[in-house]
Amino acid sequence: MAIPTSFEIVHSCGHSNTVDLSSRSADQRAGYARWLATRQCTDCWRADHQADAASTAEWLAAKRADEQAAAADWATQFDMPPLEGLEKILGWAERTRHQLVTRAYTALVTEGFPVKSSVSKASGRRRCHGAHESTPRCRTREWQRSASLAGPTPSPRPQTTHAPP
């Protein structure tokens, strides 16, 4: 019994068309045809998404204008130096600077996140911070770091035996 390669699909929008599924393996054709029946046809899908794209573009333009105005007000309020560069990217750069600085301020000052140093003050060597500190791999790395910081080990002095006078 031959497995069909063309299927008549009635889409969820009500349109129907014949689809050639010969590029799919034989065991996947019927399942894919059922899946296509649950979707809109290509023309209806395009029409919906083009309308969505237009409204998304309008929303994005309005959002960018609001962000740009907030960034300009912030730069004026805090006397930020003007940015230099291509006119094409200055708007993006101003918005990004505003977002980065305000988020950093919020994280460090308002919310009070402590800043962890990755260097131990006592020994000046790098340490692990976290629950994995006691794992053998972490201890091995600590030992390797401390050995490399200490430099080469001195060779032992030869023992000389002295005869009593």
Side-chain angles (χ1 to χ4, degrees), residues 18-111:
T18 303
V19 179
D20 179 25
L21 298 178
S22 60
S23 62
R24 300 215 172 250
S25 63
D27 62 332
Q28 294 178 348
R29 291 178 193 157
Y32 188 67
R34 282 191 304 272
W35 179 81
L36 283 175
T38 64
R39 306 284 180 228
Q40 291 180 331
C41 69
T42 306
D43 296 334
C44 293
W45 182 86
R46 261 197 206 111
D48 285 350
H49 281 74
Q50 285 174 349
D52 287 346
S55 64
T56 301
E58 291 171 7
W59 171 81
L60 187 60
K63 182 179 178 190
R64 292 288 182 248
D66 292 344
E67 289 175 350
Q68 192 66 35
D73 293 344
W74 175 82
T76 304
Q77 179 184 358
F78 291 104
D79 198 29
M80 299 301 287
L83 296 173
E84 297 176 358
L86 299 174
E87 189 67 32
K88 191 176 187 179
I89 63 168
L90 282 179
W92 170 83
E94 289 175 358
R95 286 191 317 270
T96 303
R97 174 175 67 176
H98 173 247
Q99 290 170 355
L100 287 172
V101 173
T102 55
R103 287 179 186 165
Y105 179 83
T106 301
L108 296 173
V109 177
T110 307
E111 296 174 4

Side-chain angles (χ1 to χ4, degrees), residues 1-26:
M1 174 176 192
I3 297 174
T5 58
S6 293
F7 290 85
E8 183 69 26
I9 307 291
V10 178
H11 293 280
S12 62
C13 60
H15 295 115
S16 70
N17 63 344
T18 303
V19 179
D20 179 25
L21 298 178
S22 60
S23 62
R24 300 215 172 250
S25 63

